[in-house]
Amino acid sequence: MDARQLEYFLAIVEHGGFSKAAAALHVAQPSLSQAMANLEADLGVALFHRVGRGVVLSEVGQELLEPSRRVLRDLAAVRETAAALAGLRGGTIDVATMPSPGIEPLTTLIHRFTEQHPSVTVSTQAAFTPDEVISLVRSGACELGLLGSAAPVNPSGLDVLHVEDQPFVVVAAPGGAIEDGVTIRPEDLAGQRLIASRSGSLMRSIVDDITAGDTGTQIVTVVDHRTSILPLVLTGVGVAVLPSSWTRLARRCGAVVAPIEPTAHLHVAMVSLPTHLTSGARAFLALTKSLARRRSRD
């Protein structure tokens, strides 16, 4: 008997069958079935009754549920203690991220994490919608996912950590009508040339609201890559409406940033699988929780 077999046993119970458990564990169903057959042979008892294409937990299997869970919890505690004592040494954390959260809070998170764990590599994978982030995490391609959405997300089977809400701001080249730090209203952008993202994003919907009606405001360019927006602003092509995550970078590059009132907010969250995270991913998630608590107090 080994911990993997117990993990498989519990997954079959929790997911209601072999096929769903295999999908959740990202293993082939024949491998899962063989592991259970070996466990039942080692124990000398049947853990499941096969009924048609499904399975029903046997009375013996029911009795073994809590001991199995206790064993896995104890093993997890051993691993956590060892990691805490030895520190994280090596390895890679895969994080899926959308563009704006990928500027902030991801920059702060990676900066602080690599200071604490310099031998661990943080690898980011680009995603452009919340659904893409969720899919990458659910599939196991990434352990963690950082997303921004118009409304809070609640994907089934994943843990969701709310990190912060980012209001939208106007970013413009210096020397124009927009003053740095001076709050403006959407109607104050009448006559401005706007740089926008493709339709479907919250950022684009705000721009569409601003350009609606006979205000003389127009979209002069539409970009797929958000990294193109700030250079376009600085060269005077137009102004952009961006989440406040861009504020510090924009000002360091010489742009002016003005808050908008009223405005929508980008809901930034970290999603993760509830189990099977590496020590590095758990440490990164703990750091994210700490950052979220601090920002909620600000």
Side-chain angles (χ1 to χ4, degrees):
M1 183 190 306
D2 58 38
R4 179 180 56 86
Q5 292 172 318
L6 294 180
E7 181 182 339
Y8 287 3
F9 165 60
L10 292 176
I12 294 166
V13 174
E14 290 165 4
H15 293 281
F18 279 70
S19 60
K20 291 182 179 179
L25 293 167
H26 310 295
V27 299
Q29 185 170 335
S31 298
L32 182 68
S33 299
Q34 186 59 54
M36 283 301 93
N38 292 340
L39 178 59
E40 290 178 322
D42 289 342
L43 295 174
V45 294
L47 299 175
F48 300 97
H49 297 306
R50 276 67 176 177
V51 180
R53 293 191 174 186
V55 293
V56 176
L57 193 63
S58 70
E59 184 176 349
V60 175
Q62 185 68 44
E63 292 295 324
L64 289 177
L65 273 179
E66 182 51 35
S68 298
R69 289 173 176 145
R70 189 163 55 246
V71 167
L72 291 182
R73 283 197 299 268
D74 290 344
L75 285 173
V78 170
R79 294 190 188 100
E80 293 291 342
T81 301
L85 293 173
L88 294 174
R89 298 175 181 173
T92 299
I93 305 167
D94 293 302
V95 183
T97 181
M98 291 173 62
S100 292
I103 292 179
E104 190 59 38
L106 187 62
T107 297
T108 296
L109 289 169
I110 292 178
H111 178 228
R112 294 178 180 175
F113 184 83
T114 53
E115 282 187 332
Q116 297 173 13
H117 310 289
S119 59
V120 180
T121 300
V122 180
S123 175
T124 63
Q125 185 165 338
F128 297 95
T129 67
D131 285 344
E132 287 181 21
V133 173
I134 290 167
S135 177
L136 286 168
V137 173
R138 185 173 281 144
S139 69
C142 295
E143 292 188 275
L144 305 172
L146 193 60
L147 58 82
S149 57
V153 297
N154 186 30
S156 62
L158 297 182
D159 287 340
V160 179
L161 170 65
H162 175 73
V163 181
E164 63 182 2
D165 291 333
Q166 296 179 0
F168 281 78
V169 297
V170 173
V171 179
I178 297 172
E179 299 180 55
D180 189 71
V182 179
T183 301
I184 62 174
R185 298 182 63 81
E187 54 265 31
D188 296 330
L189 294 173
Q192 291 283 349
R193 295 155 56 87
L194 294 176
I195 300 164
S197 61
R198 296 282 176 189
S199 297
S201 68
L202 177 58
M203 187 167 70
R204 176 56 184 268
S205 69
I206 295 172
V207 169
D208 287 341
D209 288 343
I210 292 172
T211 57
D214 187 18
T215 63
T217 306
Q218 63 172 323
I219 295 174
V220 293
T221 184
V222 177
V223 297
D224 281 330
H225 297 290
R226 306 288 171 84
T227 51
S228 302
I229 293 178
L230 190 53
L232 289 169
V233 168
L234 291 170
T235 54
V237 171
V239 303
V241 177
L242 294 167
S244 59
S245 58
W246 290 78
T247 298
R248 183 165 55 181
L249 175 62
R251 284 178 171 151
R252 285 182 175 178
C253 292
V256 298
V257 180
I260 315 174
E261 289 186 2
T263 186
H265 288 74
L266 189 70
H267 299 273
V268 179
M270 180 77 81
V271 295
S272 61
L273 290 169
T275 56
H276 313 302
L277 293 180
T278 62
S279 297
R282 288 196 297 270
F284 198 92
L285 187 58
L287 183 63
T288 308
K289 291 178 181 177
S290 177
L291 179 67
R293 286 194 297 268
R294 285 196 296 272
R295 294 196 169 176
S296 68
R297 296 194 295 264
D298 293 342

